Amino acid sequence: MYDVAPAQLQSFLNPILDFPFYALVVCCNDQPRLIAFVMGAVHALNLLAITLLAWHLFGRSTRASVAERAALTALAVVIGATGAGSAPLIGANTGDLPATVPLLFALLAFVVGVDWPDHRRGQLLLFLLAGFLAGIAVGVKITMAIYCIAMAAAVVVLPLRVWPGALGAMGLGGVAGAVLTAGWYWLYMWRTFANPLFPLYNGVFKSPWWEAVNVRDERFLPHGPSDWLLFPFKWAVSRSQGGLVAEYDFSDIRVALMLTLLVVILALSVWRRVRAGAGTAPVDRSSGDPRRGAMALLIILPVAYVIWLGMFSIYRYLIPLELLSGILIILLLREMVANRMVVAALAVVAAVGCVASTKPLDWGHSAFAGGRYIEVAPTTLPPDALVVLTSTEPIAHIIPFFDRGVRWVSVYSNILRPSQTNGLVTKARQLIQAHQGPIYALEAGSVPAATTDGVLKEVSLVRSDGACVPLASNLTGETYKFCPLIRAP
């Protein structure tokens, strides 16, 4: 191991989505708008997927004319594409939007498969394709697994005799897709850390390189009954609730509207069945039911939301549902109201309300400083230098701009503290103690010097008499500096 967690927890995530971005910066860093365009253009595939899905569903479940179908599809795309989370991520390299692409096409294949005649070869092939695409999504970003579980749950709309084939085909495809995009990396992580998902789920795998506990971001999890029941309404009505399900303020009514319509429809369904008496006809699950695909998607909504709420409650991981919100809202309106013109009018009102009331998130944007996508003005470090990273501030993007011989060792990050005794901290201590060249601390300006000194003391380092040298980067508002160190006497 040459470096130790220079990108903090993110050092250990599957880098497959980072390769294209890295290649773009290497070849075209002096053409920032080209990089931004390519990174942002990926999201067009998400919009294509929801357009095709809406077109399919509105043609079957609503029996709409071509003009009505086109209008409803356009409204669905407008609602889904203008959410508080997805639009601000266009061009970002968090991986959420690129990972959503195969997931949405998986849902498209699944819904078309659900609407396909039962026991036909084409249906199983569509389920196999859906599983394969979903597996790709999970391989590149494991948080997409919640939607795969929801998709599997939605097979209940099919006749019972179809379930084994559908689940088997999706499972087989899912394994193939995940192995394609992440199998190589899971194998590498297993051989290196004895945990294919390291450091995630280390309570299960118990790798000696980290504590035998499961890493979990608990910042946004619900804290009581009101959160479990009212979370979407809290972020729908408040524009100053940073820390609720995201790091920053936003407001968006889409999830609250979807869940409200779903509850109303369920209540109406129960009331109608009770009013009709016990002799009500059973639900039609045959392939002749034009609403079967729509029902599958409406099942995916609550299942995915509940899993998301219990596991993450991080709004970025809800982006797929946000993109599907326009389709889901219109389908729910169609279930609630029989008159097509009224549905169309309500869809327009919903679109206007969603767009007008949304306050987008802002995870930060940087200007194209100096005509480059990433502008770093580094000091010159000796190729045999070792840099100790001493804060949780993100800084790994500067590393490629230094000599490859420089070693980057984190001792304080979002997963490491000097007081730990796991394999990573032990390795960091060993590298620091054995290093023969110059040693520097990379310090963040927002961190008090006394705090940094305390971190350095725990790894037997102190500042030398040499002057610190500032580091400038256009990708962060934080100020940094390299400070020379010596071993503590």
Side-chain angles (χ1 to χ4, degrees):
M1 186 184 299
Y2 195 80
D3 300 321
V4 177
Q8 309 187 62
L9 169 64
Q10 288 72 20
S11 304
F12 305 100
L13 303 182
N14 187 351
I16 193 168
L17 289 178
D18 298 318
F19 292 157
F21 175 67
Y22 177 77
L24 281 170
V25 173
V26 168
C27 82
C28 310
N29 194 33
D30 57 348
Q31 301 179 58
R33 286 170 176 78
L34 173 62
I35 297 177
F37 173 79
V38 174
M39 294 290 290
V42 174
H43 186 49
L45 295 174
N46 285 319
L47 302 185
L48 174 62
I50 61 174
T51 300
L52 294 174
L53 184 57
W55 182 260
H56 170 80
L57 287 171
F58 297 150
R60 286 185 60 87
S61 62
T62 63
R63 303 285 189 183
S65 65
V66 172
E68 183 183 353
R69 191 178 179 185
L72 292 177
T73 297
L75 288 170
V77 173
V78 167
I79 295 172
T82 56
S86 60
L89 286 174
I90 296 175
N93 63 345
T94 62
D96 296 281
L97 293 183
T100 301
V101 171
L103 178 72
L104 290 181
F105 278 99
L107 289 172
L108 174 62
F110 175 72
V111 169
V112 174
V114 166
D115 284 330
W116 204 268
D118 294 333
H119 293 299
R120 298 288 180 87
R121 180 182 299 178
Q123 187 182 52
L124 283 181
L125 289 176
L126 284 165
F127 289 146
L128 184 68
L129 176 61
F132 179 71
L133 292 171
I136 288 176
V138 173
V140 300
K141 196 170 182 70
I142 198 169
T143 56
M144 295 294 166
I146 63 176
Y147 300 98
C148 300
I149 297 171
M151 190 165 64
V155 301
V156 297
V157 302
L158 298 167
L160 184 60
R161 66 184 184 278
V162 180
W163 292 10
L167 291 173
M170 287 193 295
L172 180 62
V175 170
V179 167
L180 176 66
T181 52
W184 59 277
Y185 192 67
W186 292 339
L187 179 61
Y188 168 78
M189 297 297 282
W190 174 260
R191 289 177 172 175
T192 306
F193 298 108
N195 177 350
L197 303 175
F198 183 83
L200 306 178
Y201 301 104
N202 207 45
V204 176
F205 294 100
K206 302 187 186 307
S207 166
W209 289 93
W210 206 69
E211 279 66 26
V213 297
N214 294 327
V215 179
R216 193 180 189 194
D217 189 341
E218 299 181 347
R219 292 175 298 167
F220 309 120
L221 291 174
H223 298 293
S226 67
D227 284 348
W228 278 94
L229 295 173
L230 302 175
F231 241 6
F233 301 92
K234 292 182 178 182
W235 76 66
V237 299
S238 175
R239 289 176 175 257
S240 58
Q241 31 60 16
L244 186 64
V245 291
E247 296 85 349
Y248 307 104
D249 298 342
F250 78 102
S251 61
D252 196 302
I253 67 172
R254 288 163 179 79
V255 177
L257 180 57
M258 286 189 290
L259 294 178
T260 299
L261 291 173
L262 184 63
V263 170
V264 169
I265 288 167
L266 291 174
L268 286 173
S269 178
V270 171
W271 178 75
R272 288 166 182 165
R273 289 179 68 86
V274 170
R275 187 179 181 188
T280 305
V283 176
D284 180 12
R285 291 193 175 94
S286 70
S287 55
D289 181 5
R291 297 163 57 250
R292 203 167 66 172
M295 291 299 102
L297 196 61
L298 293 178
I299 288 172
I300 289 171
L301 162 61
V303 174
Y305 171 75
V306 170
I307 299 174
W308 168 86
L309 187 62
M311 289 192 66
F312 307 115
S313 291
I314 297 174
Y315 193 75
R316 278 194 298 115
Y317 302 162
L318 207 61
I319 293 300
L321 272 189
E322 181 185 277
L323 288 168
L324 292 167
S325 61
I327 299 173
L328 290 163
I329 287 169
I330 294 173
L331 289 176
L332 288 164
L333 289 173
R334 183 65 184 86
E335 288 296 313
M336 191 169 61
V337 180
N339 188 293
R340 293 182 187 173
M341 296 302 294
V342 174
V343 170
L346 290 174
V348 171
V349 172
V352 172
C354 286
V355 174
S357 63
T358 298
K359 176 187 177 183
L361 274 154
D362 186 0
W363 282 285
H365 294 81
S366 298
F368 299 130
R372 310 188 78 193
Y373 191 90
I374 299 179
E375 187 73 35
V376 175
T379 181
T380 301
L381 292 178
D384 61 341
L386 183 148
V387 179
V388 180
L389 305 177
T390 60
S391 79
T392 59
E393 295 297 324
I395 196 62
H397 68 278
I398 71 164
I399 293 176
F401 293 87
F402 288 83
D403 191 282
R404 291 188 176 186
V406 177
R407 235 179 180 135
W408 305 83
V409 177
S410 175
V411 296
Y412 190 98
S413 68
N414 58 12
I415 59 166
L416 294 179
R417 295 292 186 271
S419 58
Q420 292 173 307
T421 57
N422 60 53
L424 289 177
V425 174
T426 300
K427 183 66 175 180
R429 289 180 178 275
Q430 291 172 348
L431 291 175
I432 292 171
Q433 291 169 4
H435 190 69
Q436 299 300 312
I439 302 177
Y440 299 85
L442 180 56
E443 302 183 28
S446 61
V447 179
T451 301
T452 301
D453 290 341
V455 171
L456 294 172
K457 182 179 180 181
E458 289 194 68
V459 291
S460 303
L461 294 171
V462 295
R463 301 173 189 272
S464 73
D465 294 331
C468 297
V469 179
L471 169 74
S473 169
N474 66 316
L475 291 193
T476 174
E478 181 64 271
T479 58
Y480 296 94
K481 56 186 178 181
F482 289 101
C483 296
L485 305 175
I486 58 174
R487 289 183 175 84

